[in-house]
Amino acid sequence: MLNRIILIGRLTRDPELRYTPAGVAVTQFTLAVDRNFTGQNGEREADFIPVVTWRQLAETCANYLRKGRLAAVEGRIQVRNYENNEGKRVYVTEVIADNVRFLESSQNREGGNTSSGAGMPEEPSYGGGSGNGGNSGRGNNNNFSRNNNTQDPFSGDGKPIDISDDDLPF
């Protein structure tokens, strides 16, 4: 069985950092993710997905993420339920993130220029619980590596790619 999700979107508000009674950090924020199609009025619609992070990842998100920032979230979907004050059962669906990547720097957002280098974070990009223990996105880990190659690997304007059958792994 598999429960894995990857989302890219913008934060709808600053993350809320709280601590459990045991002192464990937990952060909640909502990610606005555009849909691939437009609605009846011709405008793009979005889904607003609640995201929860824990421990060091929660503190990092609270320190670096802000409303409007572009972020990639990787994690799992969780559905929990509880009984409210009126005795009704309430179901909550949320993403429990174990990796968050910051896809644009705060300098790009403030200057209004997000076209160059938007895929490379200026602040660290952390994954919690996956063994990288707070490595910043500047090394040779699973996060973005910083190199000076600015050539777009997806350029080609939709032209067919010349690949021989021997190069394909399947």
Side-chain angles (χ1 to χ4, degrees):
M1 289 174 249
L2 180 66
N3 180 357
R4 208 74 194 136
I5 188 165
I6 299 173
L7 302 168
I8 297 177
R10 295 196 181 275
L11 273 72
T12 61
R13 62 173 189 238
D14 289 352
E16 293 178 27
L17 176 64
R18 296 183 184 171
Y19 291 89
T20 66
V24 178
V26 59
T27 301
Q28 294 179 314
F29 57 90
T30 302
L31 206 62
V33 180
D34 286 339
R35 293 182 179 174
N36 290 335
F37 54 88
T38 58
Q40 292 177 349
N41 58 1
E43 292 183 15
R44 262 213 174 184
E45 295 181 10
D47 292 304
F48 299 91
I49 301 168
V51 178
V52 178
T53 59
W54 290 90
R55 296 174 185 78
Q56 183 179 359
L57 180 59
E59 292 175 341
T60 303
C61 287
N63 288 335
Y64 290 106
L65 287 178
R66 295 288 174 257
K67 177 181 177 179
R69 294 279 305 271
L70 188 65
V73 171
E74 183 179 0
R76 63 182 171 84
I77 293 180
Q78 172 180 285
V79 179
R80 60 183 173 89
N81 64 70
Y82 64 93
E83 207 168 289
N84 67 8
N85 295 339
E86 299 166 358
K88 290 189 174 186
R89 177 95 23 220
V90 177
Y91 290 89
V92 178
T93 302
E94 56 201 1
V95 173
I96 307 301
D98 54 33
N99 192 4
V100 175
R101 296 182 184 195
F102 311 135
L103 299 181
E104 66 185 1
S105 70
S106 57
Q107 295 151 348
N108 285 348
R109 287 290 294 162
E110 291 167 5
N113 178 10
T114 60
S115 62
S116 65
M120 299 296 181
E122 288 296 315
E123 288 91 8
S125 172
Y126 290 105
S130 58
N132 57 355
N135 291 333
S136 71
R138 294 180 170 95
N140 249 347
N141 56 19
N142 290 335
N143 295 324
F144 296 112
S145 62
R146 297 178 70 68
N147 58 23
N148 292 330
N149 185 5
T150 57
Q151 182 181 7
D152 182 7
F154 299 108
S155 64
D157 302 325
K159 298 174 188 168
I161 301 172
D162 185 28
I163 297 176
S164 75
D165 288 341
D166 295 334
D167 292 335
L168 297 175
F170 45 87

